[in-house]
């Protein structure tokens, strides 16, 4: 009964391809996030959805498009992959109304673009 | 601009020695501050939050608004404390977290 799950765990693909990463949480949280962790372990927020509504959209190339079909899912689609997109992508969720704002992270998806 | 700075990329201490992981922030309002930890092959998880004022696994962190710091401390480091530690700031009333660049703590036997 994993709280936040991501698929796939590893993704190796060539430049120019389009790929998707999926995230699901079974915690009943209302807010989900995508983070990018680069090779230097720097963790940066990309997007956040609250109740399926986009609330955070950081300076990210428009090749990245998040989609939230329902509160439990937040997928990340990346078009025309570039070498610089290689990183570990983390999904996270939290419950805003809990007052704790603790983020629960997924295991990460390691994307390698060749 | 909101920013979180962790000046040390790597911190090595011997088992039983005190440890302090530094975190400084830049934010004009009232921030909420957190420490997250990532043990080897595990997920990033919350260690503690300044609002709780609690000690988790022997770690404490005090928010010093004058120095805009939120350093993480433990009086006696254990080998199982070896991990990557991230300091994070959340602006009040927002959903946005800003993470520091992380400090890898190595506790040597």
């Amino acid at each position: 009964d994993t709280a936040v799950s991501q698929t796939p765990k590893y993704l190796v693909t060539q430049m120019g391809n389009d790929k998707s990463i999926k995230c699901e949480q079974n915690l009943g949280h209302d807010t989900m996030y995508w983070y990018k962790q680069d090779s230097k372990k720097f963790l940066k927020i990309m997007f956040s959805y609250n109740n399926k509504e986009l609330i955070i959209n950081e300076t990210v190339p428009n090749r990245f498009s998040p989609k939230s079909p329902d509160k439990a899912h937040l997928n990340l689609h990346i078009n025309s992959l570039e070498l610089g997109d290689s990183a570990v992508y983390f999904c996270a969720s939290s419950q805003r109304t809990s007052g704790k704002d603790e983020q629960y992270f997924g295991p990460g998806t390691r994307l390698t673009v060749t | 601009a909101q920013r979180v700075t962790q000046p040390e990329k790597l911190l090595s201490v011997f088992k039983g020695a005190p440890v302090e992981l530094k975190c400084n922030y830049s934010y004009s309002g009232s921030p909420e501050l957190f420490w997250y930890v990532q043990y080897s092959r595990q997920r990033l998880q919350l260690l503690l939050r300044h609002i709780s004022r609690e000690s988790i696994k022997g770690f404490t962190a005090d928010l010093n608004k004058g120095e805009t710091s939120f350093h993480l401390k433990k009086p006696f480091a254990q080998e199982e404390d070896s991990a990557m530690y991230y300091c994070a700031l959340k602006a009040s009333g927002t959903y946005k977290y800003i993470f520091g660049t992380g400090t890898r703590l190595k506790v040597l036997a």
Side-chain angles (χ1 to χ4, degrees):
Chain A
D1 50 340
T2 305
V4 182
S5 60
Q6 295 178 228
T7 53
K9 197 170 181 180
Y10 300 96
L11 184 53
V12 181
T13 188
Q14 292 185 327
M15 280 194 305
N17 285 347
D18 303 339
K19 290 292 179 186
S20 292
I21 306 172
K22 295 186 177 181
C23 178
E24 177 180 2
Q25 54 96 2
N26 62 6
L27 297 166
H29 288 167
D30 60 4
T31 307
M32 296 184 73
Y33 307 79
W34 275 112
Y35 287 88
K36 179 181 179 180
Q37 185 183 51
D38 62 22
S39 57
K40 296 182 180 178
K41 301 292 187 183
F42 181 47
L43 194 64
K44 189 167 190 285
I45 192 167
M46 299 173 69
F47 303 103
S48 179
Y49 272 75
N50 174 257
N51 288 318
K52 299 197 301 174
E53 182 184 345
L54 181 64
I55 54 171
I56 294 176
N57 187 353
E58 288 296 287
T59 308
V60 175
N62 57 16
R63 297 182 294 104
F64 290 77
S65 53
K67 281 190 174 52
S68 182
D70 54 59
K71 285 196 327 182
H73 296 84
L74 179 61
N75 304 323
L76 183 66
H77 189 74
I78 315 170
N79 287 329
S80 304
L81 278 155
E82 300 178 358
L83 293 176
D85 298 332
S86 295
V88 181
Y89 292 84
F90 287 98
C91 177
S93 73
S94 68
Q95 180 60 32
R96 284 288 293 161
T97 55
S98 71
K100 291 186 177 181
D101 282 332
E102 177 178 351
Q103 299 220 309
Y104 290 78
F105 283 83
T109 295
R110 183 175 293 277
L111 171 64
T112 303
V113 182
T114 62
Chain B
Q2 300 163 7
R3 186 182 299 168
V4 176
T5 303
Q6 293 180 249
E8 303 134 331
K9 282 188 178 179
L10 173 65
L11 183 63
S12 295
V13 300
F14 284 102
K15 178 181 171 183
V19 62
E20 181 180 51
L21 288 83
K22 291 185 167 46
C23 173
N24 288 89
Y25 66 89
S26 172
Y27 180 60
S28 56
S30 294
E32 295 175 38
L33 289 166
F34 307 80
W35 277 99
Y36 278 81
V37 60
Q38 188 173 27
Y39 300 103
S40 178
R41 296 189 184 87
Q42 292 189 30
R43 299 160 187 245
L44 193 61
Q45 57 188 287
L46 179 67
L47 180 62
L48 54 80
R49 46 191 297 144
H50 90 269
I51 291 176
S52 303
R53 292 183 166 270
E54 56 195 343
S55 173
I56 304 291
K57 298 184 179 183
F59 284 98
T60 58
D62 290 318
L63 176 59
N64 186 323
K65 290 187 178 180
E67 296 181 359
T68 59
S69 67
F70 188 56
H71 303 326
L72 184 67
K73 301 177 185 178
K74 185 169 182 176
F76 308 103
Q78 303 298 316
E79 287 181 75
E80 55 265 29
D81 296 328
S82 296
M84 192 77 179
Y85 291 80
Y86 289 91
C87 182
L89 174 154
K90 188 175 81 70
S92 295
T94 75
Y95 296 87
K96 186 176 174 182
Y97 283 77
I98 297 169
F99 282 80
T101 47
T103 297
R104 181 170 297 283
L105 174 64
K106 284 190 178 179
V107 181
L108 308 170

